[in-house]
Amino acid sequence: TRPSTAAMASMLSAHRTFAFGTAAPRRAAVARCPLTVTCAYSDKIKVGGGKKWKHTEVNHNGNPVKVSMHVKKGDLVKIIAGKDKGTVGTIIKVVTSTGKVSVEGVNIRTKHIAPRTENEVGQIKKSEYPIHHSNVQLYSKEKQVASRVGYKVVDGKKVRFLKKTGEVLP
C-alpha cells in the first residue's frame, strides 16, 4: 500500500534539501552533566555508570550518603552473626558509603589470580573482606564481654562507652 498524497506532501516538506556545498543545521548542544538515574525498583539513586545492582543514595551534591556507624577503625569487636560468629578481632577498615567494616581474621576469602605474562606465575591470595557493621559488637578485653555502645559527655567532651561495663572507649 502506498501512502496518500497528503502524507507524501507532509513527508517531503519535513525533509529539507540543501544545496551542494552548504552545511546542514547543527543539533542543539546538550548540557553535559553527571549521569544520575533513579532506580526502577526502589527510591535509591544510581550514581554515574557502574553496575546496575550497585545503587547508592546520594546527597544534594551528588556524593554518596555516609552511613553512621557505632564502630571506628581500631576498635576491638566481637562478631555476633555469620560464619565467623564468636570471633574477636580489630577493625582494619571502615567503608562509610556501604556501612561495612573489615575485621582482622574474619570473612577470609580466597582469590585465584591468573598470570599476566609468560614469565609470571599465578597465585592464590587470601584476604579479609568487609562485613556489615550490624554484625559486630564492641568487646571489652578486661571483662571478656561484648556490649552495645553508649554516648556521654565527660569534661565537656562527647565520649563512647560500653553499656555493660561502663568503660570509656578511646
Side-chain angles (χ1 to χ4, degrees):
T1 59
R2 292 181 64 187
S4 66
T5 346
M8 284 292 272
S10 67
M11 282 193 280
L12 287 172
S13 64
H15 178 38
R16 292 186 175 172
T17 55
F18 297 96
F20 183 74
T22 60
R26 292 180 175 237
R27 290 185 185 178
V30 179
R32 301 263 187 238
C33 60
L35 177 66
T36 305
V37 182
T38 49
C39 206
Y41 50 84
S42 75
D43 58 348
K44 287 191 176 181
I45 302 227
K46 180 183 171 202
V47 182
K51 310 287 186 212
K52 63 183 177 182
W53 59 86
K54 287 189 180 180
H55 297 278
T56 55
E57 294 180 62
V58 293
N59 59 16
H60 64 282
N61 292 333
N63 298 327
V65 174
K66 292 183 179 179
V67 179
S68 60
M69 290 189 259
H70 66 289
V71 289
K72 292 181 179 180
K73 183 178 175 180
D75 284 348
L76 187 68
V77 293
K78 183 176 185 177
I79 310 303
I80 58 170
K83 65 177 184 179
D84 295 309
K85 183 177 178 175
T87 310
V88 176
T90 309
I91 293 181
I92 302 166
K93 182 180 168 186
V94 176
V95 185
T96 54
S97 60
T98 57
K100 294 189 174 190
V101 293
S102 291
V103 182
E104 185 178 4
V106 173
N107 197 20
I108 294 175
R109 293 188 187 172
T110 306
K111 187 175 183 180
H112 295 263
I113 301 167
R116 290 185 176 186
T117 61
E118 288 182 21
N119 304 349
E120 196 177 329
V121 292
Q123 35 179 275
I124 299 171
K125 186 180 168 187
K126 291 187 177 188
S127 60
E128 291 106 355
Y129 278 73
I131 58 172
H132 199 264
H133 73 97
S134 65
N135 295 334
V136 300
Q137 204 169 23
L138 287 163
Y139 189 74
S140 171
K141 229 177 195 177
E142 291 100 38
K143 308 271 180 157
Q144 302 289 312
V145 67
S147 172
R148 290 177 313 181
V149 66
Y151 298 92
K152 63 183 176 184
V153 178
V154 177
D155 299 329
K157 194 172 182 182
K158 185 179 175 184
V159 293
R160 299 181 305 150
F161 72 98
L162 296 179
K163 287 196 170 185
K164 274 190 187 174
T165 62
E167 66 181 85
V168 176
L169 296 167

